[in-house]
């Protein structure tokens, strides 16, 4: 091999190594090298696959009106938590289809639902990250549930600091934070909201209120995880 050929070979190897370094090659759950989420860790996303539908009795969060149903796939702990944080903050977009598929719980226990609508992140966050994690999760869920995704909601303004407000003002503050940007295909349809994590359900309830006002027949919700 001549000098130029050898030099090109070295450059090629360096480029390949650079590429390997650029691509995170470890499982978000256990750091094992290979897939973004390994085969041993994926089952954690299905922690509640066999659980009864609905919110179990005795848990603090009841179904927030006007939602018709709220389901989540796993507690926001361990592997599920690490995978969701890696999607949200580390730019590990390859996790989105896997996390979206966790919504297969909805296929088992979800009632009705004509289309999926992701809960939109604030425009500032989308600009910083370059993507909206709930939208990516909804795309993954769409394939699994064979229902279309519509990006009908938008955040109309940054929410005021919630901790300064009493309970009623908090709810009003959130409702004002969402609007229906595009009501095509919503009227008389049953919407399933999709988000990464639910805590109190207040955000989902605010989105549901905006969609009902725009003519939706009913609104349910499914999230990958629930945080307590
Ligand atoms: Zn793993």
């Amino acid at each position: 091999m001549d000098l130029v050929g050898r030099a090109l070979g070295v450059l090629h190897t360096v480029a390949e190594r650079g590429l390997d370094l650029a691509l995170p090659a470890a499982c978000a759950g256990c750091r094992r090298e290979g897939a973004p989420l390994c085969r041993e860790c994926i089952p954690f996303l299905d922690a509640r696959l066999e659980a009864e539908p609905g919110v179990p009795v005795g848990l603090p969060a009841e179904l927030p009106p006007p939602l018709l149903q709220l389901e989540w796939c796993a507690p926001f702990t361990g592997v599920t938590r690490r995978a969701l944080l890696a999607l949200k903050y580390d730019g590990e977009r390859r996790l989105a289809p896997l996390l979206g598929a966790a919504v297969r719980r909805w296929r088992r226990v979800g009632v009705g639902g004509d289309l999926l609508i992701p809960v939109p992140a604030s425009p500032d966050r989308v600009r910083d990250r370059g993507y909206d994690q709930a939208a990516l999760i909804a795309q993954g869920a769409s394939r699994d549930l064979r229902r279309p995704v519509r990006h009908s909601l938008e955040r109309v303004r940054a929410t005021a600091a919630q901790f300064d407000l009493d309970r009623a003002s908090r709810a009003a503050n959130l409702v004002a934070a969402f609007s229906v940007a595009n009501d095509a295909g919503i009227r008389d349809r049953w919407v399933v909201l999709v988000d990464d994590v639910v805590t109190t359900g207040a955000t989902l309830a605010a989105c549901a209120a905006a969609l009902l006002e725009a003519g939706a027949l009913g609104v349910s919700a499914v999230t990958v995880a629930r945080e307590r």
Side-chain angles (χ1 to χ4, degrees), residues 88-225:
K88 199 165 180 173
Y89 298 113
D90 299 343
E92 186 42 279
R93 290 188 210 198
R94 292 178 299 171
L95 286 167
L98 296 162
L99 290 165
V103 169
R104 57 188 150 252
R105 169 154 173 80
W106 184 264
R107 199 169 56 196
R108 288 206 168 199
V109 298
V111 178
D114 302 312
L115 63 141
L116 307 178
I117 297 183
V119 173
S122 79
D124 290 351
R125 284 193 201 150
V126 174
R127 202 165 40 240
D128 289 349
R129 285 185 206 135
Y131 60 94
D132 182 331
Q133 75 279 356
L136 295 181
I137 290 169
Q139 272 158 26
S142 166
R143 277 188 289 275
D144 202 50
L145 301 174
R146 295 192 194 89
R147 287 179 175 89
V149 179
R150 284 187 193 276
H151 301 275
S152 312
L153 287 168
E154 64 179 3
R155 292 220 185 215
V156 285
R157 61 171 171 74
T159 356
Q162 290 283 70
F163 50 79
D164 283 340
L165 305 169
D166 61 29
R167 195 184 166 90
S169 314
R170 265 185 220 181
N173 188 38
L174 264 175
V175 169
F178 294 98
S179 76
V180 173
N182 176 7
D183 65 0
I186 290 179
R187 183 160 292 281
D188 298 329
R189 307 306 295 280
W190 190 337
V191 173
V192 181
L193 289 165
V194 178
D195 207 356
D196 50 357
V197 183
V198 58
T199 309
T200 63
T203 301
L204 293 167
C207 290
L211 288 165
L212 290 170
E213 206 170 300
L217 183 68
V219 183
S220 304
V222 61
T223 68
V224 177

Side-chain angles (χ1 to χ4, degrees), residues 27 29-30 38 41:
C27 169
C30 65
C38 76
C41 284

Side-chain angles (χ1 to χ4, degrees), residues 9-44:
V10 168
L11 275 178
H12 186 69
T13 309
V14 168
E16 268 182 348
R17 289 212 183 120
L19 205 61
D20 282 346
L21 288 174
L23 292 174
C27 169
C30 65
R31 307 313 299 165
R32 189 189 314 215
E33 277 187 32
L37 202 58
C38 76
R39 260 191 289 176
E40 279 74 22
C41 284
I42 285 175
F44 286 96

Side-chain angles (χ1 to χ4, degrees), residues 73-97:
C73 307
F76 189 57
T77 55
V79 167
T80 305
R81 184 171 188 275
R82 289 195 288 277
L84 282 165
L85 293 179
L87 170 64
K88 199 165 180 173
Y89 298 113
D90 299 343
E92 186 42 279
R93 290 188 210 198
R94 292 178 299 171
L95 286 167

